[in-house]
Amino acid sequence: MPLRLLLVSDTHVPKRARELPAQVWAAVDSADVVFHAGDWVNTELLDGFERRSRRLVAVYGNNDGQELRRRLPETVSVVLEGVRFAMVHETGTAKGRNERAEELFPDSDVLVFGHSHIPWDTTSPRGLRLLNPGSPTDRRRQPVCTYMTALVDAGRLRQVQLVEVRKD
């Protein structure tokens, strides 16, 4: 049976948004596994994700204080249905990202990251899939706020979709 994934990063609650949009909470509720690539900003949001996620895979980001850093790792690796995922908040500049990621995560099939608020979906020469879901609360220079959904099915990552956060 396929696993439904939610990929989110850079929520920045309550600094950039007072709360997480209801659309994103609905996506958390329906996902089998939720990935959060850091920049939570406060522990209350992490508590909410822990309560509502069937399974949460999470790291801290550069804007996360000591309490979040105490509770979350800087990087994490997990295998889901045979697909090897790694996650880190920051990967550096876009130039050379594929090569750096291949070097830092040689045993991974997928790298989830955040930090830039710029959605990213590419595959390195070695075949490492790099995914940045953007931000559901702070679009910065992007046209819209975003997150990603995907499926893991039969040992493969499938149906990766960038989802626009609607303004309600």
Side-chain angles (χ1 to χ4, degrees):
M1 187 155 183
L3 287 177
R4 294 166 299 179
L5 309 183
L6 170 64
L7 285 62
V8 66
S9 185
D10 298 284
T11 46
H12 292 275
V13 172
K15 302 265 182 187
R16 307 287 169 103
R18 282 180 290 220
E19 58 190 25
L20 197 66
Q23 176 186 348
V24 181
W25 280 125
V28 169
D29 293 340
S30 67
D32 295 308
V33 183
V34 175
F35 286 81
H36 193 302
D39 275 3
W40 303 78
V41 179
N42 75 28
T43 57
E44 290 79 13
L45 186 63
L46 172 58
D47 294 341
F49 268 78
E50 287 176 336
R51 276 192 307 275
R52 293 178 75 158
S53 300
R54 287 183 185 94
R55 180 174 181 184
L56 178 63
V57 180
V59 297
Y60 68 77
N62 62 299
N63 283 294
D64 295 330
Q66 288 305 311
E67 179 63 18
L68 286 160
R69 289 171 187 245
R70 186 183 63 74
R71 290 174 60 182
L72 298 169
E74 181 177 14
T75 64
V76 68
S77 297
V78 62
V79 179
L80 301 173
E81 300 293 318
V83 179
R84 302 167 301 171
F85 289 85
M87 187 165 52
V88 65
H89 180 65
E90 191 171 349
T91 61
T93 62
K95 184 177 181 175
R97 177 177 287 139
N98 287 346
E99 295 76 14
R100 283 190 309 276
E102 286 179 342
E103 185 176 314
L104 292 170
F105 302 98
D107 297 324
S108 298
D109 301 311
V110 180
L111 175 63
V112 179
F113 66 99
H115 186 64
S116 68
H117 299 215
I118 300 171
W120 186 276
D121 182 354
T122 191
T123 303
S124 75
R126 180 184 66 76
L128 176 65
R129 184 87 175 258
L130 288 91
L131 299 173
N132 182 331
S135 171
T137 58
D138 182 17
R139 64 184 179 86
R140 284 195 186 159
R141 295 172 299 281
Q142 301 304 300
V144 294
C145 292
T146 58
Y147 59 90
M148 285 179 170
T149 60
L151 293 177
V152 172
D153 187 22
R156 297 181 53 104
L157 183 68
R158 302 179 188 277
Q159 298 181 23
V160 175
Q161 294 185 310
L162 184 66
V163 180
E164 178 180 331
V165 177
R166 298 178 307 274
K167 294 181 182 178
D168 293 333

